[in-house]
Amino acid sequence: MKFDEARVLLVGLSLTMRELFELRGKPACTVDLFNSMLDAVPEGTYGRTVRHERTFNAGELYVNEQDIGVAVFDLEYQVLVKRRAIISHFEIESRGRFLDFEPMQVGDEFIGWRVGIASLK
């Protein structure tokens, strides 16, 4: 089967194989990333691999008119870790601490981050 020529039907929605990989792959990579980066790591680019297995009910996924029961996605992706300076910090005794980080450019856009750490008092 040629990847770019495969006909995919997912619960009645016509997709390309690339769209199917993106639809199933991005969430798998996100879960892998959040489960793996529990400790602080130095800045840099990190290569990751993840295997995601998904079981489909009969009639849920067709590839080239063949009913697929199980799909296994072997994914490789890279993560760029960048440290950002804290530009604002305040604490509300009954709510917790709030940190604002300097904006970071991603493509043409700038993204700012605010993190809230709940108070358990």
Side-chain angles (χ1 to χ4, degrees):
M1 155 180 49
K2 292 186 179 179
F3 187 81
D4 289 325
E5 295 176 9
R7 295 180 318 279
V8 178
L9 196 61
L10 177 63
V11 290
L13 181 64
S14 180
L15 302 170
T16 65
M17 187 66 84
R18 193 166 308 283
E19 290 169 330
L20 177 65
F21 267 76
E22 191 168 309
L23 184 68
R24 299 304 315 165
K26 280 187 178 181
C29 292
T30 300
V31 168
D32 174 69
L33 178 62
F34 283 117
N35 288 338
S36 66
M37 298 274 181
L38 299 176
D39 297 317
V41 294
E43 282 192 2
T45 301
Y46 295 85
R48 305 269 319 147
T49 60
V50 63
R51 173 172 273 222
H52 174 68
E53 186 172 310
R54 170 71 155 81
T55 302
F56 293 93
N57 295 321
E60 190 176 4
L61 175 65
Y62 291 93
V63 176
N64 291 338
E65 300 177 6
Q66 182 179 353
D67 195 7
I68 304 296
V70 176
V72 177
F73 300 89
D74 288 315
L75 307 160
E76 294 180 8
Y77 67 99
Q78 290 188 338
V79 177
L80 174 61
V81 175
K82 300 282 282 180
R83 296 279 176 240
R84 307 314 301 161
I86 296 172
I87 57 174
S88 172
H89 169 266
F90 63 94
E91 187 166 348
I92 300 173
E93 188 174 330
S94 63
R95 299 282 187 222
R97 296 187 310 165
F98 296 86
L99 308 168
D100 286 329
F101 293 89
E102 73 176 311
M104 179 172 145
Q105 186 169 0
V106 178
D108 293 334
E109 303 293 325
F110 283 88
I111 299 173
W113 298 92
R114 172 174 284 165
V115 176
I117 303 168
S119 174
L120 300 176
K121 293 180 183 181

